[in-house]
Amino acid sequence: NTTYIERASLAVEWSLKTLIPGESGLMYDSYNLTSRSFIPLKWNTLTPSRVGRPMADDSMFLRVAQLGGPKSAQLRRAFYEVIDRLIATEAPPGNWGGYVPCSGVNGSMHPRQAFWWGMPFVEAYRDTKNPKYLAVALRAGRWYAEAQKSDGGMFRHTDAQFQTSTFGQVASGSACAAILWLELYAVTQDASLLLLIERALGFVAGSQLVNASHPELRNA
């Protein structure tokens, strides 16, 4: 149904027009409902004076550009501007600790950060076949491999040396790692990724409340 494509394209084109503050590779991502205005992201630990972060969620600028619409050239350029800024600010390797919700390059890494910004590099590689993009995605995959525990789990607070808090296991980190590794396997056919994927999905499956007594919790 082309209606779905049209609506997605309109949303992405709105983002292109509305959410880019004028600085290459950054997008607004903090909005004040009272003043009805975008505000600087003051708690961005890498660039506290900036107005946003490099946002490349689900590679949507590139995906819509690949449909070949009238805004395709602008969308493609915006996507690669974000990608280039992410390359310039990658730290620690395979992650982006300087941007919230991480707490700093040597601080606590959010378990989904390497997925949010590592995954678009897989799409960039598929689009261009440029190995520098694949290299970034592989580093993100290695970050997850280091962060993964022997049972396939991950912790919400994992620092640059992969030390963790005692509590705070987070299934979404394992799930995002598995998705990234699956995409990397599709590109590289690296069989060593399969064990990591199996561990991660095993942890996620084991976290599901299959036999919860309360029906509203069952299968959560």
Side-chain angles (χ1 to χ4, degrees):
N1 190 326
T2 58
T3 300
Y4 301 140
I5 293 176
E6 290 168 1
R7 291 299 182 269
S9 298
L10 287 171
V12 171
E13 289 171 10
W14 177 89
S15 298
L16 180 70
K17 178 179 69 175
T18 310
L19 298 181
I20 296 178
E23 185 168 351
S24 178
L26 291 180
M27 295 181 69
Y28 289 119
D29 67 349
S30 188
Y31 187 79
N32 188 307
L33 290 171
T34 302
S35 66
R36 295 183 178 275
S37 62
F38 293 101
I39 58 177
L41 198 64
K42 294 184 182 300
W43 25 276
N44 182 327
T45 56
L46 182 67
T47 52
S49 63
R50 305 299 192 200
V51 295
R53 295 183 295 167
M55 305 295 280
D57 299 51
D58 208 25
S59 306
M60 286 305 297
F61 279 0
L62 178 61
R63 288 172 184 250
V64 173
Q66 290 170 337
L67 297 175
K71 301 287 187 180
S72 59
Q74 289 174 262
L75 289 166
R76 183 179 294 275
R77 181 169 60 252
F79 173 77
Y80 283 103
E81 285 175 352
V82 173
I83 289 295
D84 288 342
R85 185 175 280 267
L86 287 173
I87 290 174
T89 55
E90 179 190 356
N95 216 317
W96 288 267
Y99 296 112
V100 293
C102 295
S103 66
V105 170
N106 294 311
S108 176
M109 302 293 118
H110 189 283
R112 295 191 298 274
Q113 190 102 316
F115 170 78
W116 292 330
W117 291 330
M119 189 74 156
F121 284 94
V122 180
E123 297 305 321
Y125 173 70
R126 286 184 171 129
D127 184 55
T128 64
K129 296 298 184 288
N130 188 327
K132 77 174 182 179
Y133 298 133
L134 179 59
V136 178
L138 288 170
R139 288 196 294 273
R142 284 196 293 273
W143 186 90
Y144 273 124
E146 292 286 345
Q148 187 185 59
K149 301 304 181 183
S150 59
D151 65 352
M154 286 186 62
F155 283 81
R156 170 64 181 85
H157 298 289
T158 301
D159 69 17
Q161 289 72 47
F162 301 99
Q163 301 297 307
T164 70
S165 54
T166 303
F167 301 100
Q169 285 187 309
V170 56
S172 64
S174 296
C176 287
I179 296 169
L180 177 60
W181 288 327
L182 281 163
E183 292 300 320
L184 288 172
Y185 177 74
V187 170
T188 66
Q189 297 296 295
D190 179 357
S192 68
L193 295 168
L194 298 178
L195 177 60
L196 299 173
I197 294 166
E198 185 175 353
R199 280 181 187 159
L201 295 181
F203 180 83
V204 173
S207 300
Q208 190 175 26
L209 304 175
V210 178
N211 298 312
S213 58
H214 195 292
E216 297 297 332
L217 288 177
R218 199 167 299 144
N219 297 322

